[in-house]
């Protein structure tokens, strides 16, 4: 299938940045100042140029396969949304190669069984991935807002429509079952972060931090794109440095 592209910038220990549905620059732009002290390795998942398109569909298992050789250098891994599914899967397969793991609002809805809001997030998320622009209009807008897209009351921006079409046919996030016990058992330092904008995401992140024995952080002000929230870059660097000192 050909390898994915990783664009590196900066100096120092490597921080592997794995984006979700939005591209790497949109997701990680607010962390650019860290390049003064860290090597920021921006992964471009399949379907996001200059990486090749997926052979069949976006799939977190394929993401994990693509990420596996990138763990050989022992990077810190920071992953967002759908991208965190592949990152967790790759980390669980080779936990000794991951220096630390930061997970931002991953859609691991199975961690909170019986919760109506989490179940709704899973349902509408799967529907949008399956049906794209043909999904129920109200549910499509609801999901896009939860996903941080710039959605108002008028027509959807062309960039948002393009993102929906790119994601259509992706493997449903609800199918992801990364072996969290492998990550926790390896003692990987973990930070789980959310944006305080949706109770479903908060409950998922609470459950994930508990399952992994990780730190938990909430940074408001940027919705789903938590990396852009005030104070997040500083907290992330503090977390990375704590591991380096350890």
């Amino acid at each position: 299938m050909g390898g994915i592209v990783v664009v590196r910038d900066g100096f120092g220990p490597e921080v592997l940045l794995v984006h979700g549905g939005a591209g790497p620059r949109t997701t990680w732009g607010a962390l650019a100042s860290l390049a003064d002290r860290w090597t920021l390795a921006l992964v471009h998942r399949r379907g996001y140029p200059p990486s090749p398109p997926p052979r069949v569909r976006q799939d977190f298992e394929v993401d994990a396969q693509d990420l596996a050789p990138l763990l050989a250098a022992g990077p810190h891994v920071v992953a967002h949304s759908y991208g965190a599914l592949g990152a967790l899967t790759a980390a669980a397969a080779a936990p000794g190669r991951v220096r630390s793991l930061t997970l931002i609002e991953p859609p691991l809805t199975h961690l909170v069984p019986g919760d109506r809001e989490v179940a709704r997030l899973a349902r509408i998320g799967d529907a949008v991935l399956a049906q794209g622009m043909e999904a129920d209009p109200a549910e499509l807008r609801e999901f896009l807002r939860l996903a941080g897209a710039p959605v108002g009351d008028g027509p959807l921006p062309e960039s948002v429509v393009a993102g929906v079409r790119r994601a259509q046919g992706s493997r449903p996030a609800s199918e992801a079952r990364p072996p969290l016990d492998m990550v926790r058992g390896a003692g990987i330092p973990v930070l789980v972060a959310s944006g305080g904008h949706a109770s479903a995401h908060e409950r998922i992140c609470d459950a994930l931090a508990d399952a992994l024995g990780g730190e938990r952080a909430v940074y408001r002000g940027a919705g789903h794109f938590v990396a852009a929230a005030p104070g997040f870059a500083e907290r992330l660097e503090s977390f990375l440095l704590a591991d380096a000192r350890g």
Side-chain angles (χ1 to χ4, degrees):
M1 289 189 293
I4 60 172
V5 173
V6 180
V7 177
R8 290 176 170 82
D9 182 35
F11 305 91
E14 183 163 292
V15 181
L16 192 69
L17 300 171
V18 186
H19 67 91
R25 292 295 176 185
T26 298
T27 306
W28 307 118
L31 302 182
S33 64
L34 298 183
D36 292 341
R37 298 168 297 280
W38 307 86
T39 299
L40 303 182
L42 277 68
V43 170
H44 292 65
R45 295 173 51 237
R46 293 186 182 274
Y48 295 79
S51 286
R55 178 176 290 178
V56 179
R57 60 177 181 172
Q58 297 282 344
D59 187 330
F60 48 83
E61 293 283 358
V62 175
D63 287 343
Q65 294 169 19
D66 287 333
L67 293 171
L70 302 176
L71 302 183
H76 298 277
V77 177
V78 182
H80 180 248
S81 195
Y82 194 95
L85 306 180
L88 256 174
T89 302
R97 294 185 168 188
V98 178
R99 192 164 180 179
S100 74
L101 188 58
T102 299
L103 304 166
I104 304 172
E105 294 199 353
L108 289 167
T109 53
H110 74 284
L111 295 178
V112 194
D115 185 284
R116 292 180 62 182
E117 292 183 343
V118 173
R120 180 171 178 80
L121 175 63
R123 184 179 66 78
I124 65 174
D126 284 357
V128 170
L129 290 184
Q131 302 168 28
M133 293 301 298
E134 300 304 314
D136 177 86
E139 292 188 347
L140 173 61
R141 286 179 180 270
E142 179 184 356
F143 177 76
L144 289 172
R145 290 189 179 102
L146 287 170
V151 175
D153 295 328
L156 296 177
E158 291 184 8
S159 60
V160 173
V161 173
V164 172
R165 289 176 173 159
R166 176 174 52 201
Q168 185 173 1
S170 298
R171 185 173 181 179
S174 62
E175 294 182 5
R177 296 292 188 278
L180 303 181
D181 56 327
M182 298 296 293
V183 175
R184 180 164 187 158
I188 300 174
V190 173
L191 173 64
V192 180
S194 60
H197 64 104
S199 58
H201 283 306
E202 297 305 308
R203 292 167 190 166
I204 292 168
C205 288
D206 288 345
L208 180 60
D210 184 64
L212 294 177
E215 298 180 29
R216 180 75 172 88
V218 180
Y219 284 88
R220 295 174 171 83
H224 188 49
F225 290 97
V226 182
F232 177 80
E234 292 80 5
R235 174 60 186 278
L236 175 62
E237 184 164 33
S238 176
F239 173 69
L240 300 180
L241 288 170
D243 174 68
R245 289 192 297 267

